[in-house]
Amino acid sequence: MSLLSDSDDLREDLTALRRALHREPEIGLDLPRTQEKVLAALDGLPLEITLGRALTSVTAVLRGGRPGPAVLLRGDMDALPVREETGLDYAASGGAMHACGHDLHTAGLVGAARLLAARREALAGDVVFMFQPGEEGLGGAKLMIDEGVLDAARTRVIGAYALHVFSNTLPRGIAVSRPGPILAASDQVSVVVRGRGGHGSSPHTAKDPVPALCAMVTALQTMVTRDLDAMDPAVVTVGRLRAGSAGNVIPDTAEFVATVRSFSEDAHRRVRAGIERVVRGIADAHGVGVEIDYDEMYPVTVNDAAEAAFALDAAGELLGAGRVFTAPRPVAGSEDFAFVLNEVPGAFLGLGACPPDIDPATAPMNHSAHARFDDAVLPDAAALLADLAVRRLSRASETPTNADAGTTTGASAGAATDGATKAGADAGRAA
Ligand SMILES: [Zn+2]
């Protein structure tokens, strides 16, 4: 039977699992109820399971019936601190919500595990299933790497794949990916301007931090347009300002917090250096002190060129060419799957999950309290993940190379799998 029709047989189970996860969302690195549900759903499958120590992750290894390398499939499991307003009958009622669709990723990965377990004898190698907490800002992927997920099959995985659903923009069932950068690097910068407070009527007797802070906020936008290549941009958004307590009081301090997005190492370096230079320069000009706390959160998510081409081809064959597209450019969201792709070659794919009764162009986007994800895409998500594993392992067994034999580790492995695409892969990484 084909993967798609087998996956369709799982529809009811996967939908039930997704809705159970949706009803009971958990935030952060500690997702005990979610972990329980995943373990229950995997129960009875021939998997070697290890649980995380620093986080409630589940790593499951399926041993193929034939020898070969290992590949990794990842699903993140955490929710967001958002109060759900979708009105769905399985909506969450507390202050947490699966507003980024990670409940679908978890259920989709369980589906892939079931599909692959049923094909175990034919598999030429092993599959690592990475059920990951803490994607939303906590770098759960990094913690799982530190705990050995990439070597869980006792050999470094040769390819890693993740699928992310979107509640808007993409029509339902449409899959996208692209070679090179697909998601932005994400940093957070917190700035405290230190002046000297006083009476609002007599600013000359004080050191007002507020005008300095205002000058910084606007100068940062100018810096972005003057320091960065228009074709390799960055985003600096000051989302939080705090200063003072009354209109006639000059405060001692004023603060802002900004998010910073960039799509290349070069832009990442430039924007960080530019922010620090502009903020310090303006503080000097105003005669106030400044503290800058620059936190590099997630790197750019970079798809290996050869792996992205492989994943797009595989998705096209599975779902039909009309449902699979190369994304023309990256999007400014970010992902801690970036840490995985910094270690091993692989690809991150998007899948449209906008319900059919809303226009994807105007649908509430991921992270919105109104975001809705259609779980009709679950069988496709499960089949696509399983298919990537099957094809990647069989390709490795047909044309074994050093990298595919698992003897090469690190980011160079992807480039080495195919000499013809090495330059492209390297360019993708460097970009
Ligand atoms: Zn997400």
Side-chain angles (χ1 to χ4, degrees):
M1 287 297 279
S2 80
L3 267 175
L4 276 180
S5 67
D6 285 0
S7 191
D8 205 51
D9 292 343
L10 300 177
R11 182 180 295 274
E12 218 172 294
D13 281 5
L14 298 183
T15 304
L17 172 60
R18 182 263 164 156
R19 294 187 181 191
L21 292 163
H22 194 89
R23 250 183 228 111
E24 201 177 0
E26 295 179 295
I27 298 170
L29 297 169
D30 188 31
L31 319 174
R33 300 280 298 135
T34 303
Q35 187 187 50
E36 251 172 54
K37 290 185 185 78
V38 167
L39 291 173
L42 298 177
D43 191 34
L45 298 180
L47 299 167
E48 297 167 16
I49 289 184
T50 44
L51 305 183
R53 295 184 296 278
L55 69 178
T56 51
S57 57
V58 176
T59 300
V61 179
L62 178 70
R63 299 287 178 191
R66 297 191 289 138
V71 295
L72 180 145
L73 303 174
R74 179 273 210 156
D76 42 5
M77 309 193 287
D78 56 321
L80 283 155
V82 170
R83 192 166 291 278
E84 179 158 3
E85 290 178 39
T86 59
L88 292 166
D89 59 7
Y90 54 89
S93 55
M97 173 185 174
H98 270 295
C100 201
H102 298 183
D103 48 343
L104 282 85
H105 304 167
T106 308
L109 190 57
V110 164
R114 290 207 192 159
L115 293 169
L116 290 168
R119 289 164 169 73
R120 180 157 89 112
E121 288 314 316
L123 271 187
D126 305 331
V127 183
V128 178
F129 301 92
M130 174 181 180
F131 291 92
Q132 181 213 309
E135 191 285 320
E136 299 289 355
L138 296 166
K142 180 93 175 55
L143 294 171
M144 288 189 75
I145 292 170
D146 293 345
E147 293 191 356
V149 69
L150 301 180
D151 304 298
R154 291 192 296 273
T155 172
R156 171 101 349 166
V157 297
I158 59 161
Y161 309 94
L163 194 62
H164 204 301
V165 292
F166 292 95
S167 61
N168 73 337
T169 317
L170 283 177
R172 184 177 64 156
I174 298 294
V176 295
S177 192
R178 73 189 304 275
I182 186 161
L183 291 166
S186 170
D187 304 335
Q188 181 164 289
V189 58
S190 304
V191 171
V192 181
V193 182
R194 291 203 183 278
R196 191 176 67 245
H199 198 291
S201 66
S202 308
H204 61 289
T205 64
K207 270 287 172 221
D208 191 349
V210 174
L213 178 129
C214 294
M216 289 170 189
V217 171
T218 50
L220 287 177
Q221 300 308 315
T222 310
M223 180 278 290
V224 166
T225 71
R226 303 301 86 187
D227 275 19
L228 289 147
D229 183 339
M231 297 301 152
D232 185 12
V235 174
V236 177
T237 293
V238 176
R240 197 171 109 191
L241 289 174
R242 197 161 57 194
S245 55
N248 61 353
V249 177
I250 293 171
D252 282 327
T253 60
E255 304 169 26
F256 72 84
V257 182
T259 189
V260 183
R261 306 296 167 111
S262 55
F263 302 93
S264 74
E265 268 315 306
D266 184 52
H268 190 228
R269 261 193 315 275
R270 280 170 182 267
V271 74
R272 177 175 182 162
I275 288 170
E276 292 180 344
R277 188 186 68 244
V278 164
V279 165
R280 287 193 200 291
I282 289 174
D284 271 359
H286 285 250
V288 291
V290 71
E291 285 156 29
I292 304 171
D293 182 12
Y294 198 102
D295 186 10
E296 295 191 0
M297 295 170 71
Y298 292 169
V300 184
T301 301
V302 182
N303 282 341
D304 178 272
E307 291 292 345
F310 156 74
L312 284 163
D313 281 353
E317 277 185 44
L318 181 80
L319 303 174
R323 286 180 53 193
V324 180
F325 298 94
T326 300
R329 50 184 169 266
V331 291
S334 65
E335 245 292 339
D336 69 354
F337 193 63
F339 292 116
V340 173
L341 295 184
N342 275 354
E343 298 292 325
V344 295
F348 180 87
L349 297 91
L351 180 66
C354 183
D357 61 320
I358 353 177
D359 178 355
T362 54
M365 73 184 292
N366 290 40
H367 289 209
S368 158
H370 299 274
R372 284 199 280 137
F373 301 85
D374 190 346
D375 42 29
V377 302
L378 283 173
D380 285 351
L384 180 52
L385 286 168
D387 191 48
L388 289 169
V390 169
R391 285 179 200 253
R392 187 65 187 85
L393 291 178
S394 79
R395 196 181 77 174
S397 73
E398 283 157 17
T399 52
T401 67
N402 282 346
D404 284 352
T407 53
T408 310
T409 58
S412 62
T417 53
D418 183 351
T421 57
K422 183 177 189 316
D426 286 350
R429 286 190 178 278

